[in-house]
Structures are given as C-alpha cells and as structure tokens.
C-alpha cells in the first residue's frame, strides 16, 4: 500500500526511486529505464528549464512516451502547472507560453508559443529503432520543426545527470490543469488530489503485482492514475505508444511478463478482429472511460475467453472513480466505486433518486480544487443497480478510444485541403465500439484519406470516409450532425474508404 500521501507526486516518486534505483521503472518498446534513470532525467530537465527562465503553466501535447512521464515529474518538481491538452486545444487557451510536444502531433494546427520543447519518441526507444516499424501505417508525415525560432530538442535537456532538484513543494500545489466542456473554468488538480486517486487505486489493486502494460493515452487522468500507482508502489510500467498494433503490444506484454493491461478500444478491437493471443501472464485487462456497447464485451469474451474490467473516469478529468470488481465477470455496468469514493444519483433539483432510477451522476468531494466540500455533478446520466454497479446512459459526445474529440478544428483544417468542398465529422457504432466517420463532399475520397494520414495523428483519423452530396447546415452555418448521421448512418462500403 502506498504511503506518504501528504506530499507532492515528485517527492513520493523520489522516495521510491531512492529505495529502488536499479529496478526498471519503465520499459518503452522493450527498452528499460530504471528508477534512477527516470529521476535523473526529470531532475536534469527541471534544472535546464529553470536555467532557461521557464515559469508559469506548461502545456503538454504528446503521445505515450517516457518523455511524457519525465516532463510531468520535472514540472511537478519545479512547483509549476502542467496543462494536458486534448486534440484540437490551443496552449493559448490555457495561457501557456511554453509547450512540450511530440513532433507527429503538430501536423494539422498552428499556434503561438514562446518556447517549444520537442519530443522525438525514438530518443528513448531501443537503440537503432525506427518508429515507423512500430507505428507502421499509423505514423504520418513528421514536420521538421527544429529550425523554427524557440524550438528546442527535449533530449538535449534530459541527459545532464544533474543532482536532485531541491525546492519546496506542497500537497496543495496545483499539479495538472485540464478543461472540460461542462465547466467554464479549467479543472485544477492538486498534488493531494492525484495522490488520493493513487491511494484509491492502490487499495483496489492491493495484493497484486503492479507490472502494467499501458497503451491507453497518458492524456487521460485515469491512465496517469494507473501509471503512477505502479511507480509509487515500485512496480514496472511497460509503456507503448497508444496506437501501436495489438500484435506487438501483446508480444511485449508476454516478453516482459506484465500481469495487467491498461488498454483502449483500439487495442481490444484488434485483439478480437485479428485473433491476437493474450499472454498467460496477464491477469487483468482494463479499459477506463471508453464508450462501448455491451455486444462488444460479448464478442471479446467469445473470442478470448477473457473479461475486460471497465470503469468511469469523469470524462478524462479526475481519474477513475468506478471499476469492475477484480473477482467478477462483466455484468453490464461500468463498475463499482473505488475505495473512498462515493457515487450518488440525483434529479435536476439535486435530490437523490430512488435506487435503479435514472438521474445525474455525482461523485464524492475531494477530486479536484473547488470540489472539496460538495459532490460534483458530472453532467452524465446513469443509475445504480441493486448490486451497486454504475450504469451510464450512452451520449452523443464523440468519445473514441477514450478521447473526447472536438470535430470543429479537424473540419476547419480539412476544408482547406485540395478537392474538399465540405466535410463533417461524426460517430457511429460498429461491432459494439464507436468509430469516427468523415462525411465529405468531394470527388476524391481516397485523396482525403491520404490527407488525414499525412497530417493528423492516429486518434484523429476517421475509420470510415463517406462521400456525400451535401452537408446539412443550420441558417447560421453550423453542421447539423444528428441529421447527417441519421441520413447516412446505414451507408455501406460502396460509398466509403475504410482505414484498416
């Protein structure tokens, strides 16, 4: 069980690092980084950022990599705030002058910054590795940003082996900043909030080895909750890019003897459709904050003989609050509350509804600043069954592979492409999982597919491309998404190009 919750995340990790310096903390694509390595790199980065005068809030726009973890620890050690940006968000909206970003995530948008620290994932991958082998068709063009003013290679700042970065840090310091569509102001997550979430998950996993393969995006607080639960408990994280092919992910899980998988629907879809074997070392499979239909769980169980533990994570903001019990099969719910978490269902006036009745899901206090003394209304509808399991009503929000997709920046970028007269991004279900669909007014659907593959990161690429004659819009010019999905929801392959 994790101890010392009244401290910053960096201080908790530093203590574990002191006691486990030679133990592997993170494998990335199979390459080991010890606890000493991760701490030394985060200390070096913190030192160099301070020498460069970096202050205030720092935006992170990055895929799964050790540099993401190292950057978070460095920022936390400096007592600064890390703004985790979802696809399409601008650092300027968070008042960030400094950005840490993966190069392949910068293809489709432009924004202003004072300094950018560029992550090249291969810098901490196995020596001689080409990421194109691991990403295969998922890795598009990578812009050369190194010549732009204010752009620095992150790798130049993490290898100084500088001594421990010494600074006063408080459990009450804001650590992570995120925005949701439900709240006008950003969500401020403090050190004590993330440490509390780690304690809750540690209690849930108590008694089990915490060697996790993680392919779910580190952008999500629930994924970070799992990652740091492993590290604060001196476990090992087998980290892979969030869009790595399922065959390679499962091979790495078996070779490194991971006993848990924290995955996304992309991984589990591939396991079913490509008949990928799950290593015998894997005891538990987790999928948190994903949108799915019960039929997918039936397909997965039929194909693999295994059950996925699912959970509710408050739309990417504050970590998992419910997860399926470890000793149970899938029962149609999205889990029961974690230790020290309480869930209630209320009507519009805020009064508790009867058991089994649909209402608004509210979560017990203490998950982020401003929610210390009252329940937080998530805005999601659901009910609690007789066994205490939470059931969520499916929404029309575009949650694909755990990411809440904002379609408007995608549409704005694609409308500038040659051959595109108009485009709308939508979502529909196939095989029990949601897929992103592009409805395009064009004579060259395959050309639009190639444009997405070259300019957009994998999680923003549609799985279906459907040529249409017209995009329905309101008098104000807004896309009427319900109408286009209703009209074309049943379209078959003859009008589409599929991204396999």
């Amino acid at each position: 069980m994790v101890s010392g919750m009244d401290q910053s995340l960096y201080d908790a990790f530093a203590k574990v690092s002191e006691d486990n310096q030679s133990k592997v903390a993170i494998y990335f694509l199979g390459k080991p980084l010890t606890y000493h390595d991760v701490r030394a790199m985060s200390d070096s980065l913190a030192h160099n950022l301070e020498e460069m005068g970096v202050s205030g809030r720092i935006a992170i726009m990055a895929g799964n990599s050790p540099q993401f973890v190292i950057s978070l620890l460095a920022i936390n050690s400096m007592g600064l705030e890390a703004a985790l940006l979802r696809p399409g968000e601008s650092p300027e909206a968070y008042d960030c002058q400094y950005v840490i970003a993966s190069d392949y995530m910068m293809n489709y948008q432009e924004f202003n910054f004072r300094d950018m620290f560029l992550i090249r994932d291969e810098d901490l991958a196995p020596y001689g590795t080409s990421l194109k082998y691991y990403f295969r068709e998922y890795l598009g063009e990578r812009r050369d940003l190194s010549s732009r003013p204010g752009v620095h290679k992150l790798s130049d700042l993490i290898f100084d082996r500088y001594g421990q970065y010494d600074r006063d840090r408080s459990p009450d310091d804001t650590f992570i900043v995120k925005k949701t569509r439900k709240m006008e102001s950003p969500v401020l997550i403090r050190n004590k909030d993330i440490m509390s979430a780690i304690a809750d998950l540690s209690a849930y996993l108590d008694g089990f080895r915490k060697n996790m393969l993680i392919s779910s995006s580190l952008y999500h607080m629930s994924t970070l909750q799992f990652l740091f639960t492993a590290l604060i408990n001196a476990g090992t994280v087998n980290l892979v890019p969030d869009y790595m092919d399922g065959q390679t992910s499962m091979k790495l899980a078996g070779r490194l003897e991971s006993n848990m998988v924290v995955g996304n629907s992309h991984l589990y879809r591939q396991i079913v459709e490509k008949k990928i074997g799950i290593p015998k070392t894997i005891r538990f499979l987790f999928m948190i904050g994903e949108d799915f239909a019960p039929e997918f769980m039936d397909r997965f169980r039929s194909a693999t003989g295994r059950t996925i533990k699912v959970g509710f994570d408050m739309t990417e903001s504050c970590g998992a609050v419910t997860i399926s019990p470890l000793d149970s099969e899938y029962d149609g719910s999205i889990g029961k509350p974690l230790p020290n978490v309480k869930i209630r269902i209320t009507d519009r006036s805020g009064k508790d509804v009867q058991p089994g009745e649909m209402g608004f899901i509210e979560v017990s206090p203490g998950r982020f600043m401003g929610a210390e003394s009252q329940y937080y209304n998530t805005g999601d509808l659901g009910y609690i069954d007789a066994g205490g399991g939470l059931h969520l009503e499916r929404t029309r929000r575009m949650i694909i592979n755990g990411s809440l997709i904002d379609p408007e920046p995608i549409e704005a970028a694609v409308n500038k492409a040659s051959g595109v007269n108009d485009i709308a991004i939508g979502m529909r279900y196939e095989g029990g999982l949601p897929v992103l669909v592009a409805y395009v007014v064009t004579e060259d659907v395959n050309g639009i597919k190639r444009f997405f593959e070259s300019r957009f990161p994998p999680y923003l690429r549609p799985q279906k491309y459907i040529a249409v004659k017209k995009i329905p819009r309101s008098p104000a010019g807004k896309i009427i998404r319900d109408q286009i999905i209703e009209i074309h929801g049943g379209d078959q392959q003859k009008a589409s190009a599929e991204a396999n």
Side-chain angles (χ1 to χ4, degrees):
M1 178 63 67
V2 64
S3 60
M5 305 308 294
D6 57 341
Q7 57 186 322
S8 72
L9 180 68
Y10 171 84
D11 289 320
F13 177 81
K15 178 63 172 67
V16 176
S17 175
E18 289 175 1
D19 299 333
N20 299 274
Q21 293 199 33
S22 61
K23 184 175 181 178
V24 174
I26 298 173
Y27 285 102
F28 183 56
L29 301 175
K31 178 181 177 179
L33 294 173
T34 66
Y35 276 85
H36 172 78
D37 293 334
V38 174
R39 183 182 176 188
M41 290 178 185
S42 65
D43 289 342
S44 174
L45 178 58
H47 169 73
N48 284 309
L49 291 178
E50 184 182 58
E51 289 291 302
M52 296 174 69
V54 173
S55 60
R57 189 175 289 171
I58 303 174
I60 297 182
M61 304 173 60
N64 286 8
S65 64
Q67 292 95 318
F68 192 118
V69 182
I70 289 164
S71 296
L72 274 180
L73 289 170
I75 292 169
N76 189 241
S77 76
M78 297 169 69
L80 302 181
E81 299 175 356
L84 304 187
L85 275 58
R86 69 172 182 262
E89 286 190 307
S90 167
E92 298 161 277
Y94 286 80
D95 298 321
C96 295
Q97 293 184 321
Y98 304 97
V99 182
I100 296 174
S102 297
D103 54 4
Y104 60 87
M105 301 188 64
M106 308 298 296
N107 283 352
Y108 82 105
Q109 58 185 0
E110 293 287 343
F111 50 81
N112 297 317
F113 55 84
R114 176 174 171 178
D115 287 283
M116 176 187 290
F117 305 96
L118 205 58
I119 292 175
R120 293 176 2 116
D121 289 353
E122 56 262 46
D123 289 337
L124 290 181
Y127 296 112
T129 293
S130 167
L131 276 193
K132 288 191 176 181
Y133 168 78
Y134 289 98
F135 276 104
R136 299 184 182 180
E137 71 268 27
Y138 299 115
L139 189 62
E141 295 179 4
R142 304 171 73 176
R143 297 165 61 192
D144 183 10
L145 300 171
S146 59
S147 60
R148 288 186 56 173
V151 174
H152 317 271
K153 292 181 180 178
L154 193 78
S155 57
D156 292 340
L157 307 178
I158 64 175
F159 292 116
D160 286 355
R161 304 295 180 185
Y162 187 78
Q164 181 179 359
Y165 191 83
D166 191 18
R167 181 185 177 126
D168 291 334
R169 290 168 288 270
S170 167
D172 293 311
D173 288 343
T174 299
F175 173 25
I176 290 174
V177 181
K178 301 196 74 173
K179 286 189 175 183
T180 74
R181 295 186 178 184
K182 300 170 188 173
M183 301 181 68
E184 293 183 4
S185 301
V187 175
L188 304 180
I189 303 169
R190 300 160 298 185
N191 276 306
K192 64 182 181 183
D193 298 325
I194 187 66
M195 295 302 291
S196 175
I198 291 170
D200 293 342
L201 186 57
S202 296
Y204 169 80
L205 296 173
D206 189 34
F208 293 98
R209 206 166 41 94
K210 297 171 181 62
N211 290 355
M212 306 174 184
L213 180 133
I214 294 180
S215 67
S216 180
S217 173
L218 293 180
Y219 164 76
H220 304 295
M221 286 304 302
S222 56
T223 309
L224 289 176
Q225 182 182 14
F226 271 90
L227 181 142
F228 283 112
T229 293
L231 296 181
I232 299 303
N233 284 278
T236 299
V237 173
N238 185 357
L239 185 61
V240 298
D242 42 338
Y243 265 77
M244 173 179 279
D245 66 279
Q247 188 73 51
T248 303
S249 295
M250 289 299 98
K251 283 183 179 179
L252 285 171
R255 181 155 63 95
L256 300 175
E257 298 185 343
S258 300
N259 67 326
M260 303 179 188
V261 173
V262 183
N264 56 21
S265 56
H266 169 79
L267 172 64
Y268 295 127
R269 186 199 301 272
Q270 284 200 348
I271 288 175
V272 171
E273 295 179 350
K274 297 185 179 181
K275 300 179 181 180
I276 299 171
I278 299 173
K280 294 181 179 180
T281 59
I282 300 298
R283 295 197 62 171
F284 304 115
L285 304 164
F286 296 98
M287 185 170 71
I288 310 298
E290 295 271 356
D291 195 8
F292 63 91
E295 67 178 276
F296 177 74
M297 292 302 166
D298 295 336
R299 289 179 62 209
F300 191 87
R301 178 62 186 268
S302 176
T304 67
R306 307 291 288 271
T307 299
I308 301 174
K309 307 300 180 185
V310 296
F312 178 54
D313 74 345
M314 299 172 65
T315 316
E316 309 167 331
S317 296
C318 307
V321 292
T322 73
I323 306 181
S324 307
L326 292 175
D327 59 356
S328 71
E329 298 293 327
Y330 175 68
D331 62 0
S333 76
I334 52 172
K336 296 181 179 180
L338 290 176
N340 304 313
V341 175
K342 294 181 180 179
I343 302 286
R344 72 176 189 176
I345 309 297
T346 64
D347 60 20
R348 290 187 180 277
S349 67
K351 295 180 179 179
D352 291 341
V353 302
Q354 295 297 316
E357 185 177 344
M358 186 76 70
F360 292 100
I361 301 171
E362 296 195 1
V363 179
S364 55
R367 278 293 181 158
F368 53 87
M369 189 180 297
E372 298 93 338
S373 59
Q374 59 185 0
Y375 276 76
Y376 169 64
N377 187 329
T378 67
D380 293 305
L381 292 172
Y383 69 91
I384 297 176
D385 62 30
L390 179 65
H391 295 253
L392 185 67
E393 182 181 77
R394 187 173 299 161
T395 71
R396 291 187 177 273
R397 289 175 297 156
M398 295 184 196
I399 301 178
I400 310 288
N401 293 319
S403 291
L404 180 61
I405 305 296
D406 183 355
E408 292 183 0
I410 304 174
E411 293 158 349
V414 179
N415 267 319
K416 299 176 182 178
S418 175
V420 177
N421 296 317
D422 205 356
I423 184 171
I425 301 297
M427 182 187 80
R428 70 187 190 191
Y429 286 83
E430 295 190 355
L433 291 176
V435 298
L436 204 62
V437 182
Y439 302 94
V440 191
V441 181
T442 183
E443 296 181 357
D444 185 9
V445 174
N446 287 321
I448 305 308
K449 177 182 174 182
R450 290 192 295 271
F451 179 81
F452 269 95
E453 291 174 345
S454 66
R455 295 291 300 275
F456 285 78
Y459 47 82
L460 294 183
R461 298 176 196 163
Q463 284 77 46
K464 299 286 183 180
Y465 297 79
I466 299 176
V468 298
K469 293 181 179 180
K470 183 179 180 180
I471 301 296
R473 292 181 179 270
S474 70
K478 293 288 187 180
I479 294 172
I480 308 174
R481 298 187 195 280
D482 288 350
Q483 188 176 124
I484 192 170
I485 293 171
E486 181 180 341
I487 294 172
H488 299 284
D491 285 2
Q492 300 301 313
Q493 291 296 103
K494 63 180 181 179
S496 67
E498 184 172 0
N500 295 313

